[in-house]
Amino acid sequence: GDSVTQMEGPVTLSEEAFLTINCTYTATGYPSLFWYVQYPGEGLQLLLKATKADDKGSNKGFEATYRKETTSFHLEKGSVQVSDSAVYFCALSLRTGNQFYFGTGTSLTVIP
Amino acid sequence: NAGVTQTPKFQVLKTGQSMTLQCAQDMNHEYMSWYRQDPGMGLRLIHYSVGAGITDQGEVPNGYNVSRSTTEDFPLRLLSAAPSQTSVYFCASSTRGAVTEAFFGQGTRLTVV
């Protein structure tokens, strides 16, 4: 079935460190891929998305590239800040419907 | 812009009680969904709706009912609450098509004792 697998957390980094959160997916057809971020006590917000192979989504210094050959959509940021501390969810949406499939979330804590 | 509004934000229920979690969106989105978020399990789909008058079950529908009488509202009903339903509940809405994002409410933290 359709699913998303993302890196287990929690992840703790020092400020200005490089961040990678791995995400791989299984899907029938050609899904759209998303990264959502959840700050403490809040709902999920879209961070970035990519809708076809080789697309790169980017926002707030975060990037992710849709890799069809490896069925991956890894999230990266070159220099994290304390304000990036949150839970990050990888998700996919199928073109045949509007259901979203989420990964389990990766908690990131950035320390000064 | 209100977006997706959920009420209440917090709720404590006793086992066997019933309640309705409210969700309203003002973006004229066709699709609305309810998810529950549990530690280590991400978000799991409970029920969803593709338009007024149409609902369907998601991954974990047992113990929950929904209805969609208007485009704007999609309430989630717990008929007889159980401790296993202690969770954070999120409502989401989106337009037709897989390339569009889902917009989420702020969540309802429910505790069943």
Side-chain angles (χ1 to χ4, degrees), chain A:
Chain A
D2 306 299
S3 65
V4 174
T5 302
Q6 67 179 98
M7 190 172 90
E8 294 281 337
V11 174
T12 302
L13 294 174
S14 297
E15 208 165 20
E16 299 184 3
F18 184 84
L19 169 71
T20 299
I21 301 177
N22 290 337
C23 172
T24 57
Y25 68 89
T26 302
T28 53
Y30 297 97
S32 294
L33 301 174
F34 304 82
W35 277 100
Y36 280 84
V37 59
Q38 182 182 33
Y39 298 104
E42 297 186 12
L44 280 71
Q45 305 172 25
L46 179 69
L47 180 60
L48 53 84
K49 68 180 182 183
T51 59
K52 60 183 187 296
D54 300 324
D55 266 3
K56 176 186 284 188
S58 61
N59 186 25
K60 300 181 182 179
F62 292 89
E63 293 183 341
T65 301
Y66 189 143
R67 300 287 188 199
K68 186 169 178 288
E69 64 275 13
T70 55
T71 62
S72 64
F73 192 54
H74 305 320
L75 182 68
E76 297 182 336
K77 186 174 186 181
S79 177
V80 294
Q81 306 300 312
V82 172
S83 57
D84 294 326
S85 298
V87 180
Y88 293 81
F89 291 91
C90 186
L92 69 83
S93 177
L94 300 173
R95 297 181 187 280
T96 55
N98 218 66
Q99 294 185 46
F100 282 75
Y101 296 85
F102 287 87
T104 54
T106 301
S107 175
L108 170 67
T109 300
V110 180
I111 55 177

Side-chain angles (χ1 to χ4, degrees), chain B residues 9 21 59 90 94:
Chain B
K9 288 202 71 173
L21 279 62
E59 182 185 358
F90 288 100
S94 60

